[in-house]
Amino acid sequence: MSLKSFLKKKLVSPELDEQLEKIEMPVGTLGYDPWGFNTDTNKIVLSLFANIYHKYFRVETHGIDNVPPKGSALIIANHSGQLPIDGTLIAYSLANRKKSPRYPRAMIERFFPTVPFLGNFLNQVGAVLGDPVNCARMLDSNEAVIVFPEGIRGSGKLYRDRYQLQRFGSGFVHLAMKHNTPIIPVGVVGCEETIPAIANISPLAKLLGIPYVPVALPAVLPAKVILNFGKPIHFDNEDLTEEQVTRRVEKVKSAINGLIAKGLEERQGVFQ
Amino acid sequence: MSTTPKPSPEKIEAKAKKASKKKTVLVTGAAGALAQQVINRLRGKYQIVAVDFRELTFLSDDIPSYKIDFNKRVFEDLFKAYSFDSVIHLGRISSGEETRLRRYNANVLGTQKLLDLSHKYGIANVIVLSTYHVYGASAYNPALIDETAPLKAAELTQDLVDSVELENLANIYLWRYPDLNITILRPCNIVGPGVKNTISRLLTNTISPALMGFSPIMQFIHIDDMADAIALAHKQSKRGVYNVAPNDWIAYQDALSHANCTPVPIPSVPPILPKAITKIMRLKMFPSYLINYFKYPVVINGQAFEEKFGFKAKRPLREIFRYYREVKK
């Protein structure tokens, strides 16, 4: 028996297995898809992640049924927290959804594939290199895709800039229009406080070839996380100028800002 | 180098006279396992003439076989004697074998000579075997690369320049001489009985190197499926460039495990380290110029070939790995 089969047998409960079996994924005969997603690894990780999700971050979700049960969907959220914890929590919340669970695919920054172990691990649990070609193919195959249009500008920002949305790329609106895909805005509250950074050591980051090296506590803090899923936004596929597309980007940004404000109001305290 | 005597024009002509009047196919790379599988699929329906620039291969009494350097004038005598109807070009010196110059001469200039002769003698069906390596292995590769993607392999290493050049050359002839009906096939990793490429050797071993922390997604096509694909492309003769890969994927280190092969981790950071290790240790089975293909995925999209030619790979991954498990017993 391979290590993976052993871990799956030991860790994955029959209930979780049954829940995840409901999700249809276009994988090959040995459980992999072309982006490296692996059903068994995913089940093991989700079973290990259950406690982190429920007990450590005590995640609360609102409006999760705004993500359609099937068909392509772009889940657009604010990015924060140095590590891709926010994407993992959104993905877990949808895989764990009682009605019509889904495995959404998170688009990750371009430097992750170059990091040993982490790049492969992220691929095996469904994350994908944030490339427009990858995203377009996933939408064509009716997948739900998580995109953080702020990219590293969002994840690498300092604690003093928390909950201030950085510049959004416009690629996701072009993709939504071209592939006739609804955009589900998500406001993530809590991840800003998981790894609060006070500075970024840019020269070291440059030397190591990574986007940022934060000055932060060497720990992930147990901040309470609230995920607010907004109503789907549909954009017609019209021939627009880049300025008109930017206006559509701003519309999504404004929806996310509203959801963040709602989450901050709902929160009783950072760690409560 | 073998000391096989060069074929004389008289001998070629005498053999050609004996050959039957069926449509005649020139198959290059006859010493390779893939060419022999392709020949098995075509024999009976076609008169086959086999050539190889590496060694003389005896196939059977009804298949004339020659060891010829494509750059020598005697190669043209074959075209004069046999009046070929089609050419299946599978012969090439693998990356890492011989010197770069000799590989360039054989693979690029040799192919140019072959295509020039094909044009001169009015051949209307040419199949050229390329490789997915031409796309290059980069951290920024999207998955399911289609045929329009740029060929970036030459950026990574000088050792793959001839593979890219061969492709570029075939592409130029494809558009310049539409009457040649050139079909370029870019298969994923060809594996299975008799295949002696890098990946097949790695799967055959009981221990094989793997880069620590990297296990890229790979695609494998069974040699029998690839031979079917070539026979199909030859039969239908539709010009263009096509990826050939089944719709199945597996991570490299998982593939080694399925083949009962233990991965031996090679330090992967900083990137110069694995290259230095393979060079210093002269690890021929894990060549430094292919290191990136064991680090980053190059997943190609074979859909266009499947749709255009009605191709479907029949041998699943489990059957491929069963073969590699059994050869170890």
Side-chain angles (χ1 to χ4, degrees), chain A residues 4 26-38 110-111 113-120 123-124 129 131 133-134 137, chain B residues 139-146 212-217 247-251 254 258 268-269 295-296 299 301 316-318 321:
Chain A
K4 207 182 270 180
V27 292
T29 56
L30 297 174
Y32 282 96
D33 86 348
W35 290 273
F37 171 86
N38 182 257
R110 286 174 171 257
F111 83 98
T114 64
V115 183
F117 300 102
L118 185 63
N120 279 143
N123 287 152
Q124 292 213 5
L129 171 78
D131 183 280
V133 178
N134 276 336
R137 284 202 195 287
Chain B
Y140 307 131
N141 276 345
L144 299 174
I145 297 170
D146 65 25
M212 205 185 282
F214 290 98
S215 184
I217 287 291
N247 288 318
D248 214 348
W249 313 271
I250 186 167
D254 232 5
H258 278 274
S268 54
V269 181
K295 193 170 180 185
Y296 304 124
V299 176
N301 186 356
L317 284 175
R318 283 184 202 282
F321 296 128

Side-chain angles (χ1 to χ4, degrees), chain B residues 107-166:
Chain B
N107 294 348
V108 183
L109 301 183
T111 299
Q112 185 169 30
K113 181 82 177 175
L114 175 74
L115 294 175
D116 279 338
L117 290 172
S118 299
H119 176 62
K120 182 175 174 184
Y121 289 90
I123 288 160
N125 183 4
V126 178
I127 311 290
V128 177
L129 182 72
S130 179
T131 163
Y132 79 102
H133 284 156
V134 291
Y135 291 114
S138 143
Y140 307 131
N141 276 345
L144 299 174
I145 297 170
D146 65 25
E147 291 83 353
T148 55
L151 310 183
K152 296 186 287 189
E155 278 175 24
L156 302 170
T157 165
Q158 290 291 309
D159 285 289
L160 291 173
V161 165
D162 59 291
S163 298
V164 177
E165 285 286 309
L166 187 154

Side-chain angles (χ1 to χ4, degrees), chain A residues 1-131:
Chain A
M1 189 189 278
S2 71
L3 178 66
K4 207 182 270 180
S5 315
F6 174 78
L7 289 173
K8 190 184 157 200
K9 204 175 164 190
K10 288 281 168 200
L11 298 171
V12 183
S13 68
E15 297 78 44
L16 182 70
D17 198 37
E18 195 190 338
Q19 161 85 358
L20 300 179
E21 280 298 317
K22 285 186 208 161
I23 307 172
E24 278 179 32
M25 285 296 283
V27 292
T29 56
L30 297 174
Y32 282 96
D33 86 348
W35 290 273
F37 171 86
N38 182 257
T39 40
D40 286 349
T41 309
N42 203 43
K43 282 178 182 175
I44 294 165
V45 171
L46 287 180
S47 65
L48 289 170
F49 200 68
N51 280 338
I52 298 173
Y53 180 89
H54 294 290
K55 294 184 180 160
Y56 197 75
F57 293 120
R58 306 168 310 285
V59 180
E60 211 178 288
T61 62
H62 302 287
I64 196 162
D65 290 332
N66 285 326
V67 178
K70 56 183 177 181
S72 64
L74 272 166
I75 299 166
I76 309 296
N78 56 313
H79 208 9
S80 55
Q82 315 300 323
L83 290 175
I85 296 173
D86 41 11
T88 319
L89 295 175
I90 295 173
Y92 183 89
S93 69
L94 279 159
N96 193 45
R97 181 168 75 167
K98 287 288 162 248
K99 206 172 121 193
S100 319
R102 298 188 72 162
Y103 278 135
R105 313 296 297 265
M107 295 273 133
I108 53 171
E109 280 83 17
R110 286 174 171 257
F111 83 98
F112 280 118
T114 64
V115 183
F117 300 102
L118 185 63
N120 279 143
F121 170 76
L122 290 172
N123 287 152
Q124 292 213 5
V125 295
V128 177
L129 171 78
D131 183 280

Side-chain angles (χ1 to χ4, degrees), chain A residues 196-248:
Chain A
I198 53 164
N200 174 25
I201 313 170
S202 303
L204 184 59
K206 203 171 175 184
L207 192 73
L208 295 171
I210 55 176
Y212 46 81
V213 176
V215 178
L217 289 173
V220 179
L221 303 178
K224 161 100 179 156
V225 174
I226 298 175
L227 306 175
N228 269 303
F229 292 78
K231 293 275 176 218
I233 302 169
H234 294 268
F235 290 127
D236 294 332
N237 189 10
E238 296 164 281
D239 190 16
L240 301 181
T241 62
E242 202 50 33
E243 199 185 329
Q244 288 166 314
V245 172
T246 307
R247 279 205 282 275
R248 291 187 164 186

